[in-house]
C-alpha cells in the first residue's frame, strides 16, 4: 500500500499538471478537436478503469480529465470553446494521422450522460456522428456500490435499505424539473438514484431516439472485470482501431462492502427482473444477472 504522503504528493502533481494543461489549452480552444466517441456510463460500472486503460492506445487521445460533464452539468454554463479546450489540437491530430496513417480517436467519459434525461439530445446537436460505449453491471451490485460511494463522500447517513425506501420520495419531480428547466441541476437525481439508474433499457431507449443502434457498444461490466484487455480491444474494434497490447496497472475505485442482506437482494432482484429481461431481449443475450 502506498503511504498517505505519497498519495498526497501524487494528487498534488496531478492537480498541478492539470492546471498547466488547462491554461495552455485555453490559448487556442478553437484549434481543437471534438470527441469521436464517448463513454456514457453507467456510474459504478468500471468506467474509470476502462477510460484509463484506453489511454494506453497510441491512437486514442482522451480529455484532460475523465468527467468533463459538458453535456449535463456544464451545458448552459460553458461554451463549445470551453469544451474543446479539453481535447487535443488539430495539429497534433494531423501529426498522428500522418505518422500512423489513420485518424486519431478522441474520447471523453462522463457516466452521468446515460442517465441525464437531456444529454442524448444535446450530444446529437454537436456530435451526431460519434460512437458511444456503455458499461453495464448487475443493477443490484451497481446500486449497492453507488450507496457506499455516497457514504464515503458524506452524502448519505441512512442505511441502504432506508435509502431504497426513500428513493421515490427523494426523486419525486426531479426528472420533470430537469426537462422543464435546462439550467436546473439536481443533486438528488445524481446521488439518490440507486434503483432508477439500474433501469438500463429505459435509458438506452432514450438514446436510440437520436442515434442508431450501430453507434452504441454495450459491454457487460462483469466481463470487463474478468478480462479487461479483451473488453478494451472489443472497444477498439468498435471504433475501427487495431488491437493493442494493453496492460493492467491499476484498478480504480474498487470498494469493499459488507455483504448485502439476503432479503434486500431478493427484493431488488424482483424489482429489476422486468427491466433486466427487457434488456436481455434487446441484446438477444441473457447477461446472467440475478
Amino acid at each position: 500500500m502506498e503511504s498517505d504522503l505519497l498519495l498526497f504528493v501524487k494528487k498534488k502533481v496531478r492537480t498541478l499538471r492539470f492546471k498547466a494543461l488547462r491554461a495552455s489549452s485555453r490559448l487556442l480552444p478553437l484549434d481543437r478537436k471534438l470527441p469521436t466517441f464517448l463513454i456514457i456510463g453507467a456510474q459504478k460500472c468500471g468506467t474509470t478503469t476502462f477510460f484509463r486503460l484506453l489511454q494506453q492506445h497510441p491512437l486514442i487521445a482522451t480529455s484532460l480529465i475523465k468527467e468533463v460533464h459538458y453535456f449535463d452539468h456544464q451545458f448552459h454554463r460553458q461554451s463549445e470553446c470551453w469544451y474543446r479546450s479539453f481535447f487535443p489540437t488539430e495539429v497534433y491530430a494531423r501529426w498522428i494521422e500522418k505518422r500512423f496513417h489513420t485518424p486519431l480517436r478522441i474520447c471523453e467519459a462522463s457516466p452521468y450522460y446515460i442517465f441525464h434525461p437531456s444529454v442524448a439530445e444535446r450530444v446529437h446537436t454537436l456530435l451526431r456522428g460519434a460512437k458511444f460505449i456503455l458499461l453495464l453491471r448487475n443493477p443490484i451490485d451497481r446500486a449497492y456500490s453507488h450507496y457506499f460511494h455516497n457514504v464515503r463522500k458524506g452524502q448519505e447517513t441512512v442505511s441502504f435499505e432506508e435509502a431504497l425506501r426513500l428513493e421515490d420520495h427523494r426523486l419525486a419531480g426531479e426528472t420533470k424539473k430537469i426537462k422543464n428547466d435546462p439550467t436546473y441541476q439536481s443533486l438528488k437525481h445524481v446521488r439518490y438514484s440507486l434503483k432508477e439508474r439500474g433501469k438500463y433499457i429505459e435509458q438506452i431507449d432514450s438514446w436510440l431516439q437520436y442515434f442508431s443502434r450501430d453507434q452504441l457498444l454495450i459491454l457487460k461490466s462483469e466481463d470487463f472485470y474478468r478480462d479487461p484487455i479483451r473488453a478494451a480491444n472489443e472497444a477498439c474494434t468498435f471504433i475501427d482501431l487495431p488491437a493493442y497490447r494493453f496492460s493492467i496497472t491499476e484498478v480504480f475505485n474498487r470498494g469493499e462492502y459488507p455483504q448485502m442482506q439476503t432479503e434486500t437482494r431478493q427484493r431488488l432482484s424482483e424489482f429489476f427482473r422486468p427491466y433486466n429481461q427487457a434488456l436481455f431481449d434487446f441484446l438477444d443475450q441473457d447477461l446472467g444477472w440475478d
Side-chain angles (χ1 to χ4, degrees):
M1 293 291 290
E2 293 179 311
S3 69
D4 291 343
L5 177 59
L6 182 56
L7 290 171
F8 174 78
V9 170
K10 283 187 172 182
K11 183 176 180 180
K12 283 293 185 182
V13 170
R14 286 196 298 266
T15 301
L16 290 172
R17 178 178 176 271
F18 169 70
K19 288 182 177 179
L21 289 169
R22 285 290 289 138
S24 63
S25 68
R26 283 172 173 167
L27 296 176
L28 291 171
L30 289 176
D31 188 34
R32 292 180 176 272
K33 302 289 286 184
L34 285 170
T36 57
F37 73 101
L38 302 178
I39 300 169
I40 58 175
Q43 184 200 35
K44 310 310 296 179
C45 292
T47 58
T48 300
T49 301
F50 187 70
F51 178 79
R52 300 301 182 197
L53 194 60
L54 293 183
Q55 286 180 322
Q56 297 176 20
H57 200 297
L59 295 176
I60 295 176
T62 62
S63 51
L64 291 179
I65 58 175
K66 179 197 169 214
E67 299 185 26
V68 180
H69 284 295
Y70 174 63
F71 293 102
D72 47 45
H73 302 325
Q74 302 293 345
F75 194 70
H76 288 278
R77 298 175 58 191
Q78 304 291 352
S79 66
E80 180 185 330
C81 290
W82 178 89
Y83 187 51
R84 285 180 179 270
S85 71
F86 285 88
F87 301 103
T89 63
E90 294 275 0
V91 171
Y92 177 73
R94 288 197 297 269
W95 178 79
I96 288 291
E97 184 168 1
K98 183 177 181 180
R99 180 180 178 185
F100 294 99
H101 307 291
T102 190
L104 181 69
R105 273 58 167 190
I106 301 166
C107 172
E108 189 228 317
S110 293
Y112 186 43
Y113 283 173
I114 185 64
F115 186 58
H116 190 288
S118 303
V119 164
E121 181 178 9
R122 294 171 180 175
V123 171
H124 188 257
T125 64
L126 187 62
L127 305 176
R128 190 166 301 182
K131 291 187 175 182
F132 310 99
I133 299 176
L134 178 60
L135 283 84
L136 298 181
R137 178 183 185 182
N138 185 326
I140 300 174
D141 300 324
R142 195 222 66 81
Y144 205 43
S145 179
H146 186 171
Y147 166 78
F148 280 103
H149 173 83
N150 290 345
V151 171
R152 287 194 301 271
K153 297 183 72 173
Q155 297 167 351
E156 184 62 273
T157 58
V158 303
S159 69
F160 180 56
E161 287 70 26
E162 182 67 4
L164 294 174
R165 189 186 70 80
L166 290 173
E167 181 168 337
D168 289 346
H169 172 71
R170 286 170 160 178
L171 297 184
E174 292 301 299
T175 299
K176 185 176 181 180
K177 290 178 183 177
I178 294 171
K179 289 180 177 180
N180 290 344
D181 181 0
T183 66
Y184 180 70
Q185 295 185 32
S186 173
L187 290 178
K188 293 179 181 179
H189 195 256
V190 173
R191 294 175 181 173
Y192 302 131
S193 43
L194 306 181
K195 294 182 295 183
E196 283 298 308
R197 288 191 194 232
K199 299 176 180 179
Y200 300 134
I201 189 62
E202 295 182 352
Q203 298 156 56
I204 291 169
D205 284 345
S206 69
W207 276 74
L208 292 181
Q209 294 178 28
Y210 298 95
F211 301 100
S212 63
R213 175 66 181 89
D214 61 6
Q215 289 177 268
L216 178 64
L217 173 66
I218 299 174
L219 299 174
K220 181 182 174 182
S221 294
E222 291 84 357
D223 290 343
F224 169 62
Y225 301 149
R226 189 178 306 111
D227 191 347
I229 307 302
R230 180 176 180 179
N233 277 313
E234 188 174 348
C236 287
T237 299
F238 176 64
I239 59 175
D240 301 316
L241 283 182
Y244 185 71
R245 295 180 65 182
F246 294 99
S247 60
I248 296 297
T249 58
E250 185 175 0
V251 176
F252 293 84
N253 301 330
R254 175 181 286 169
E256 298 291 337
Y257 327 119
Q259 186 172 350
M260 188 185 305
Q261 294 182 20
T262 301
E263 297 80 3
T264 302
R265 191 169 193 96
Q266 289 174 344
R267 286 196 299 270
L268 286 174
S269 180
E270 290 298 321
F271 175 83
F272 284 122
R273 180 170 286 114
Y275 303 103
N276 288 345
Q277 188 58 56
L279 176 66
F280 301 164
D281 292 343
F282 170 76
L283 297 174
D284 196 22
Q285 178 187 2
D286 189 331
L287 299 183
W289 295 334
D290 56 353

